[in-house]
């Protein structure tokens, strides 16, 4: 399944690289903000925290980059983060890289993006950012539960029995982490509004152009 999902990542990789190349070429002043989004994802997703079930979970950190640059570029940043963690920290591993990229670097950012776009017209930008980061985090682990259920169906009950088991471990215990990530993302956003306003203005102009 991992190698199949790597193949599925290819279209996202092509579009994401085009978007990343275009934005860094036309607006090189945004490179620092891109690095910040990548570092935020790397640090948060590297925090392995024990859960009450005896397993471990971690934040994903993809919501911030998605709000700033959109899901396509965040797919590239998230994929690079997972690759570096697999090579340098033995976090996740290369054999599960495809599944991890699909859940954290594709599903998470796209869920965060559509959540943000849905709530932004309400005028509550902080609520939109919080919801995008929190829901993107949680749906990442719901996707992981589905992947594990497909890979390890229960001897009795098959896929559904296995899904209930893994969702009970990951999806439920991820709720408080998703809330914490949402709050932290809002705090970083507030900081950016205070100290990174020129870059944010450039991003607003880019969105208007596209």
């Amino acid at each position: 399944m991992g190698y199949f999902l790597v193949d599925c990542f290819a279209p996202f990789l092509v579009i994401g690289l085009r978007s990343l190349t275009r934005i860094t070429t036309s607006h090189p002043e945004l490179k620092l903000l891109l690095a910040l989004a990548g570092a935020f994802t790397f640090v948060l997703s590297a925090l392995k925290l024990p859960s009450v079930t005896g397993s471990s979970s971690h934040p994903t950190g993809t919501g911030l980059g998605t709000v700033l640059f959109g899901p396509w570029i965040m797919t590239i940043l998230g994929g690079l983060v997972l690759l570096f963690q697999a090579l340098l920290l033995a976090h996740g591993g290369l054999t599960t890289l495809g599944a991890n990229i699909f859940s954290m670097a594709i599903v998470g950012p796209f869920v965060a993006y559509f959540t943000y776009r849905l709530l932004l017209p309400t005028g509550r930008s902080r609520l939109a950012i919080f919801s995008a980061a929190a829901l993107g985090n949680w749906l990442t682990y719901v996707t992981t539960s589905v992947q594990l259920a497909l890979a390890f169906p229960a001897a009795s009950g098959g896929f559904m029995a296995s899904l209930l088991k893994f969702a009970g471990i990951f999806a439920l215990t991820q709720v408080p982490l998703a809330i914490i990530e949402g709050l932290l993302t809002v705090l970083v956003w507030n900081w950016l509004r205070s100290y990174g306003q020129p870059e944010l203005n450039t991003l607003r102009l880019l969105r208007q152009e596209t």
Side-chain angles (χ1 to χ4, degrees):
M1 180 184 290
Y3 296 111
F4 170 73
L5 291 174
V6 168
D7 293 335
C8 293
F9 178 60
F12 295 90
L13 175 65
V14 172
I15 298 175
L17 283 175
R18 286 178 179 173
S19 300
L20 186 61
T21 301
R22 183 173 62 251
I23 198 171
T24 53
T25 301
S26 60
H27 297 280
E29 69 274 16
L30 293 177
K31 289 180 180 179
L32 187 60
L33 198 57
L34 277 165
L36 172 66
F40 184 77
T41 301
F42 184 89
V43 172
L44 259 67
S45 60
L47 298 174
K48 294 182 68 174
L49 304 174
S51 69
V52 295
T53 59
S55 179
S56 63
S57 297
H58 58 79
T60 63
T62 58
L64 179 65
T66 301
V67 168
L68 291 172
F69 296 103
W72 297 106
I73 288 179
M74 196 60 236
T75 293
I76 301 299
L77 295 181
L80 288 173
V81 163
L82 288 167
L83 178 61
F84 283 132
Q85 288 179 352
L87 294 175
L88 303 178
L89 304 179
H91 188 176
L94 292 175
T95 57
T96 58
L97 184 61
N100 291 336
I101 286 176
F102 183 79
S103 60
M104 193 181 110
I106 295 178
V107 173
F110 275 89
V111 168
Y113 175 76
F114 286 115
T115 302
Y116 178 68
R117 299 300 300 178
L118 180 66
L119 295 177
L120 191 60
T122 64
R124 300 178 179 180
S125 60
R126 290 181 178 85
L127 175 62
I129 292 167
F130 167 82
S131 302
L135 199 59
N137 175 302
W138 186 69
L139 263 295
T140 293
Y141 274 84
V142 171
T143 304
T144 298
S145 300
V146 173
Q147 291 171 336
L148 289 170
L150 288 170
F152 305 103
S156 176
F159 167 77
M160 287 305 301
S162 185
L163 178 60
L164 290 174
K165 172 186 174 183
F166 285 117
I169 295 173
F170 291 107
L172 291 181
T173 58
Q174 193 67 16
V175 171
L177 278 180
I179 294 172
I180 292 171
E181 180 173 332
L183 294 173
L184 183 58
T185 303
V186 172
L187 288 176
V188 175
W189 174 260
N190 290 338
W191 177 81
L192 284 174
R193 291 188 65 182
S194 299
Y195 298 100
Q197 196 61 46
E199 289 81 2
L200 293 180
N201 289 336
T202 301
L203 285 174
R204 290 191 188 99
L205 290 174
L206 281 174
R207 293 192 189 102
Q208 291 174 3
E209 292 172 1
T210 55

